[in-house]
Amino acid sequence: MKLTYDQENFYLDNKKITILSGAIHYFRVVPEYWEDRLKKLKACGFNTVETYMPWNLHEEVENEYNFSGMLDIERFLKIAKELGLYAIVRPGPYICAEWEFGGFPAWLLKDSDMKLRCHYAPYEEKVRKYFHEVMTRLRPHLLENGGNIIMMQVENEYGSYGNDKDYLRAIEQMYHDEQMNVCLFTSDGDDDSMLNGGTLPHLLKIVNFGSNSERNFNNLLKVQPDAPLMCGEFWNGWFDHWGEEHHVREADDTAKEFDAILNRNGSINFYMFHGGTNFNFYNGANYYDDYAPTVTSYDYHCLLNENGDRTKKYYACQDVIRQHGFEIPELDCIDQPKKTYGKITLDKAVPLFKCLEQLSQKVSLPYVLPMEKLDQNFGYILYRTHLTGPYQPRELNIHGLHDRATVYLDGKYVGVVERNQPHEKIMIGVEKGQTIQLDIFVENMGRVNYGPELYDRKGITKAVCLGLQELHHWEMYPLPMKELTSITYKDGQCYHEPAFYQGTFEIDECQDTFIYLDHFNKGHVYINGFNLGRYWKKGPQRSLYIPAPLLKQGLNKIEIFEIHQCDDLSVELKDTPDLG
């Protein structure tokens, strides 16, 4: 059995089907909650789940593959199948998704000559090797092999980026080489350049939009009059960048557009049905006029909120499905209980500069290098040099800063420099006979996931100068901060420099909760060793989601890395989130 179609309809086993799909990214949800989220998708009246696959997690280190735990897509697909859900899988290699580097692994950027998303043999060979690992695992889950995958995508919204048909043909051929007998499709925006550049004549084309379905579908029909209509990404909400307001879309507006799509006999994939969370350092960034990193929450203001609760939008869309005569199954669904655990004191702390050697292996070179050249994917990097006078005062210029630097002279904070943002001049002078230590601590705030700035190497990508004079002889400390077990903490106090803080708390039962860091400025948080993601006082997000499976009965540990300073050694765990 395979998904087929004629001019107006999709068919499974010669029976007409309207694809009612919702996006849930397994890698943004703890595995213990996969069944809950998928069951709510089914209970809303949907018949299909759609997911991307992030290359940068499945192959974080080149030639080392991970399909376990939170990355066990086969288990995710099996749960969906047991619930009677079909699946649409989009393995990339590029996924966008407001995800770090659009899903590409950072090690691709170690090669200065690397060309992405085009017919460039060294790049395509790496895609081919990754795809072989992916397809070997997905092939048993194709519908014709007894699984539930009915559709797979060739690349992803390629017309928004390029027009290399040889590249698209190469990606399609990889599917055929791996014997993936499945309905292949491309998805793009509705304008002529996107639909012309992003697809191949013989492939099914679907269109992505959040409104104006009449216009979008009519434009699709101009290039594909002989296939059914489908919205591949129905943007029923939106994502947030740091410093923006939280995005909201009313339930009635979403339901009205959904109804219009079904009235055109259209199939649909909600992007998102459940957004989840950009745990760890996995948020992406946009770059239009300025660099704009995405926040930790991927709530997306969609049908299930970040912690999996059904929203007004869920019930409004369920009503639309019911009104169009589709079955609404009766399933026992619950929204997870939430709990306030109260204030927690952080009674241990240590400054970053006191534990550099425990966390990092120093690299000494005459020049600076970006993270990728040092085999570093995520986190932070410290650049250190020493200046012996005399130097008359000159402005510090960090050329190719990606993304945010805090600067210290002899351990004292002197300022912040942010990528492509105005900042106060940092002037440095050194008296004759004096030697000073210059530290530049750089945060990778998320690689660009969309647009021409995709080649987004991190750290300092060019040079550091005083005035026009380039500074040399650097010590570089890569700080990916995958885990903090090597740190030796001391008694807690508030530091006015980058520092780690630790506290513990005991609980009798594990329930979802939200951590508030009102006394902190910028950094990231671990719960029992799991990196929850970033916080930043500028908002809009004020709390981080802690799923209950990350907690344990008895003693729990919180660790915070704060870049600037805190004014109180406490955090608070509440039963409600604040996304702004």
Side-chain angles (χ1 to χ4, degrees):
M1 185 165 64
K2 182 180 175 182
L3 182 74
T4 58
Y5 56 89
D6 60 18
Q7 184 174 345
E8 294 186 352
N9 299 303
F10 290 105
Y11 297 90
L12 280 175
D13 201 21
N14 295 319
K15 295 179 181 177
K16 189 175 84 169
I17 180 174
T18 299
I19 299 169
L20 301 175
S21 176
I24 302 174
H25 299 157
Y26 58 96
F27 50 92
R28 279 179 159 131
V29 183
V30 293
E32 293 87 346
Y33 283 164
W34 286 349
E35 183 175 358
D36 172 80
R37 304 324 193 231
L38 289 166
K39 185 184 288 187
K40 288 170 179 169
L41 178 71
K42 179 75 173 180
C44 195
F46 289 75
N47 56 27
T48 304
V49 62
E50 179 270 316
T51 187
Y52 280 128
M53 294 184 67
W55 184 4
N56 55 1
L57 295 195
H58 288 296
E59 194 184 0
E60 184 177 338
V61 177
E62 188 172 10
N63 297 322
E64 295 181 13
Y65 301 98
N66 184 1
F67 292 88
S68 63
M70 208 162 173
L71 300 176
D72 189 352
I73 186 171
E74 290 190 84
R75 181 184 164 213
F76 181 80
L77 290 170
K78 287 175 182 175
I79 295 171
K81 184 175 185 292
E82 289 167 0
L83 289 167
L85 290 167
Y86 299 112
I88 299 170
V89 180
R90 301 201 278 171
Y94 164 83
I95 65 171
C96 188
E98 292 70 62
W99 190 255
E100 222 274 346
F101 198 13
F104 282 132
W107 49 260
L108 286 170
L109 295 177
K110 187 175 182 179
D111 178 358
S112 300
D113 296 324
M114 179 54 64
K115 303 299 179 186
L116 304 171
R117 304 188 76 187
C118 66
H119 192 41
Y120 178 63
Y123 160 69
E124 289 180 353
E125 182 56 33
K126 294 181 188 304
V127 176
R128 185 173 290 106
K129 288 173 66 177
Y130 168 64
F131 265 24
H132 176 69
E133 297 294 328
V134 168
M135 304 311 176
T136 298
R137 289 163 174 82
L138 294 186
R139 194 179 304 114
H141 300 278
L142 298 181
L143 195 66
E144 71 157 6
N145 296 330
N148 57 337
I149 299 176
I150 59 171
M151 300 176 74
M152 294 186 72
Q153 182 178 243
V154 175
E155 238 274 354
N156 179 57
E157 292 186 312
Y158 184 65
S160 297
Y161 179 84
N163 63 355
D164 188 343
K165 303 293 188 178
D166 291 335
Y167 167 59
L168 288 178
R169 280 188 283 269
I171 296 297
E172 182 196 5
Q173 187 60 46
M174 293 179 200
Y175 280 92
H176 298 317
D177 292 344
E178 293 292 339
Q179 300 177 342
M180 301 299 285
N181 186 21
V182 67
C183 178
L184 297 178
F185 70 94
T186 57
S187 66
D188 286 286
D190 79 302
D191 74 27
D192 291 342
S193 64
M194 293 178 183
L195 286 169
N196 175 50
T199 189
L200 296 171
H202 57 282
L203 290 180
L204 174 68
K205 301 157 190 59
I206 61 180
V207 65
N208 301 340
F209 57 83
S211 58
N212 297 313
S213 58
E214 191 75 11
R215 183 202 73 197
N216 284 277
F217 278 156
N218 288 341
N219 286 348
L220 178 61
L221 284 171
K222 291 177 184 177
V223 298
Q224 181 178 256
D226 56 348
L229 297 171
M230 181 169 179
C231 177
E233 291 187 11
F234 174 50
W235 306 316
N236 65 95
W238 206 245
F239 56 93
D240 296 336
H241 295 127
W242 292 110
E244 295 179 347
E245 291 186 5
H246 177 51
H247 287 85
V248 172
R249 182 177 183 180
E250 295 301 325
D252 290 347
D253 182 49
T254 299
K256 181 180 178 181
E257 196 66 50
F258 183 24
D259 180 64
I261 291 169
L262 294 182
N263 282 333
R264 287 290 302 266
N265 192 34
S267 287
I268 190 169
N269 176 56
F270 274 66
Y271 192 96
M272 298 290 298
F273 177 83
H274 171 52
T277 307
N278 296 316
F279 293 118
N280 210 301
F281 300 121
Y282 298 146
N283 66 278
N286 286 102
Y287 199 117
Y288 300 109
D289 297 326
D290 293 305
Y291 173 76
T294 306
V295 303
T296 299
S297 170
Y298 203 59
D299 176 89
Y300 214 86
H301 204 257
C302 51
L303 281 71
L304 299 185
N305 65 17
E306 182 180 10
N307 50 283
D309 287 353
R310 292 161 289 187
T311 66
K312 290 181 179 179
K313 199 173 289 185
Y314 178 97
Y315 295 107
C317 292
Q318 187 183 57
D319 285 343
V320 172
I321 292 172
R322 183 182 290 110
Q323 289 163 14
H324 280 264
F326 297 104
E327 180 186 357
I328 305 294
E330 292 187 13
L331 293 173
D332 183 21
C333 297
I334 62 165
D335 291 334
Q336 300 296 327
K338 274 73 68 178
K339 186 158 186 173
T340 294
Y341 292 105
K343 286 192 175 182
I344 296 164
T345 299
L346 308 172
D347 56 359
K348 297 183 182 300
V350 63
L352 170 67
F353 297 146
K354 296 290 186 182
C355 51
L356 273 178
E357 303 299 333
Q358 288 75 45
L359 288 167
S360 180
Q361 187 169 346
K362 179 176 67 176
V363 177
S364 298
L365 287 170
Y367 45 83
V368 295
L369 284 177
M371 288 182 176
E372 296 78 10
K373 297 286 187 180
L374 298 169
D375 296 317
Q376 181 182 355
N377 295 335
F378 308 112
Y380 311 82
I381 185 168
L382 177 69
Y383 297 88
R384 173 174 287 174
T385 192
H386 296 84
L387 303 174
T388 298
Y391 283 91
Q392 66 265 51
R394 290 284 187 266
E395 183 180 357
L396 177 69
N397 293 306
I398 308 173
H399 298 286
L401 171 63
H402 292 195
D403 300 303
R404 187 176 189 271
T406 47
V407 182
Y408 304 84
L409 292 177
D410 284 338
K412 294 182 180 179
Y413 170 82
V414 292
V416 170
V417 183
E418 290 191 43
R419 179 179 180 178
N420 305 122
Q421 294 295 321
H423 60 89
E424 291 186 14
K425 290 183 179 181
I426 297 175
M427 305 297 292
I428 296 177
V430 188
E431 298 290 335
K432 183 177 181 179
Q434 180 188 18
T435 297
I436 65 169
Q437 177 175 290
L438 169 63
D439 285 329
I440 304 174
F441 181 65
V442 180
E443 179 185 5
N444 164 5
M445 292 178 60
R447 289 181 181 84
V448 171
N449 59 259
Y450 183 83
E453 299 293 332
L454 198 62
Y455 297 82
D456 190 15
R457 293 173 177 88
K458 292 303 188 182
I460 299 174
T461 65
K462 295 180 181 177
V464 180
C465 298
L466 276 185
L468 297 177
Q469 184 185 69
E470 183 174 347
L471 302 180
H472 293 279
H473 304 297
W474 291 93
E475 299 171 350
M476 290 169 280
Y477 293 85
L479 293 158
M481 295 196 187
K482 288 186 176 181
E483 46 82 24
L484 307 181
T485 55
S486 62
I487 292 178
T488 301
Y489 286 95
K490 301 185 178 183
D491 290 341
Q493 60 174 294
C494 291
Y495 290 101
H496 293 266
E497 60 183 292
F500 299 93
Y501 299 87
Q502 183 190 91
T504 58
F505 64 102
E506 290 199 38
I507 59 175
D508 294 327
E509 57 180 347
C510 303
Q511 294 184 353
D512 286 2
T513 191
F514 304 88
I515 185 169
Y516 284 72
L517 301 112
D518 295 341
H519 301 291
F520 291 79
N521 286 278
K522 191 176 196 308
H524 67 278
V525 182
Y526 303 84
I527 183 75
N528 295 323
F530 182 94
N531 188 343
L532 292 176
R534 310 173 200 263
Y535 65 90
W536 196 356
K537 206 159 195 173
K538 73 187 296 183
Q541 180 176 359
R542 287 191 58 237
S543 63
L544 295 180
Y545 171 48
I546 304 179
L550 299 180
L551 300 171
K552 50 191 178 183
Q553 285 186 324
L555 194 66
N556 291 265
K557 180 170 66 175
I558 290 177
E559 292 171 284
I560 297 171
F561 177 67
E562 165 61 43
I563 294 173
H564 295 288
Q565 64 185 55
C566 67
D567 56 35
D568 186 90
L569 291 172
S570 68
V571 296
E572 191 167 1
L573 300 181
K574 301 182 182 180
D575 62 0
T576 54
D578 184 348
L579 299 179

